Amino acid sequence: RREMSAARAAMNWAVRKGLIEAADVKPMTLPSDGQRREVWLDEAQLVTVLSAADKADENIRTAIYLFAFTGARRGAVLDLRWNKVDFHMGKIDFRSSEYTGRKRRSVVPLAKRLRPVLEDAAMASAAKGEAPDALVVKGGASRTFNTKFRAWADDNGWPELTPHVFRHTFITLRLRAGVDPWKIAGVLNEDLETLLKVYGHHRPDHLLDAVDI
């Protein structure tokens, strides 16, 4: 849908500029939002991905676990600094005064599976003499992380795996497990109505009252 929307906008612009004739532009019907294909990992697939991450270099491993156990967007993870990780209180603060984007960021509880991975990375960072406000995941600004992530995923045979797939997975698995959607929305600082509109069909009781009376 995104690509077709861009193509249609480009053709309309060309018509307005007189570069092409309106009669030469064929009607284009966009697929509805509901026709988008969801990509997410089930429990077994997530275990496989995490197992592969454990064998990857520390930077990739840290990023994968952050994506998987916080549900944070790529930009939030790549902007995260060590002084925003509170091991004592068990929280990760993805908020930043430097962030000016529209996507809301949140404070996320530190998951049990994530804690030892971050502790390993924090000790490695300290051993290198990095500053307390050093980036947790390196290479975001220079795009080297994107290149390495893509190479790692492709080498493991996962061409569709992207950082955003982990956000889909985070939400989907928790809804399927019966976690309160309000709590999930709170963790992600996401609008509850939007979350249910996009992911609500994954709830075990979705539409159950329509068949059981």
Side-chain angles (χ1 to χ4, degrees):
R1 178 183 173 87
R2 180 182 301 173
E3 290 80 3
M4 292 177 69
S5 295
R8 186 168 70 175
M11 288 188 289
N12 289 339
W13 176 86
V15 170
R16 291 195 301 271
K17 293 295 183 179
L19 301 177
I20 59 176
E21 296 293 332
D24 295 330
V25 179
K26 296 182 179 180
M28 184 182 297
T29 301
L30 300 181
S32 69
D33 287 341
Q35 290 177 267
R36 291 178 297 181
R37 179 169 177 262
E38 282 186 9
V39 179
W40 55 278
L41 307 172
D42 62 25
E43 290 87 345
Q45 291 169 329
L46 181 59
V47 168
T48 299
V49 169
L50 293 176
S51 179
D54 286 334
K55 301 179 181 68
D57 69 62
E58 184 176 75
N59 202 48
I60 289 291
R61 180 184 184 232
T62 302
I64 296 298
Y65 271 78
L66 278 167
F67 290 138
F69 291 104
T70 67
R73 292 184 172 88
R74 171 190 166 279
V77 169
L78 297 186
D79 286 346
L80 181 65
R81 296 180 181 275
W82 282 117
N83 59 353
K84 291 288 191 174
V85 179
D86 190 334
F87 289 106
H88 176 67
M89 295 299 294
K91 294 183 178 181
I92 302 172
D93 189 352
F94 286 106
R95 299 170 303 177
S96 170
S97 58
E98 299 175 359
Y99 175 66
T100 58
R102 292 181 300 173
K103 301 294 186 180
R104 291 177 292 184
R105 296 182 175 181
S106 61
V107 179
V108 180
L110 180 55
K112 293 179 181 179
R113 294 280 305 277
L114 176 58
R115 177 183 283 274
V117 174
L118 285 186
E119 288 176 339
D120 288 347
M123 287 190 290
S125 177
K128 295 173 186 175
E130 294 180 347
D133 63 347
L135 290 168
V136 175
V137 178
K138 310 299 187 293
S142 64
R143 296 185 180 275
T144 56
F145 172 79
N146 293 348
T147 301
K148 291 182 178 180
F149 176 91
R150 188 71 270 140
W152 173 80
D154 290 345
D155 287 346
N156 281 283
W158 303 316
E160 292 188 317
L161 186 64
T162 67
H164 204 65
V165 167
F166 290 100
R167 185 176 176 86
H168 290 315
T169 300
F170 182 92
I171 298 171
T172 300
L173 293 186
R174 281 153 184 79
L175 284 176
R176 287 164 65 91
V179 176
D180 186 340
W182 184 84
K183 291 183 178 180
I184 300 173
V187 166
L188 301 178
N189 197 8
E190 185 67 82
D191 180 71
L192 178 59
E193 182 178 353
T194 300
L195 186 143
L196 290 176
K197 178 181 178 181
V198 178
Y199 299 98
H201 61 283
H202 289 293
R203 298 175 64 187
D205 59 348
H206 178 62
L207 300 181
L208 184 61
D209 58 351
V211 293
D212 285 343
I213 58 175

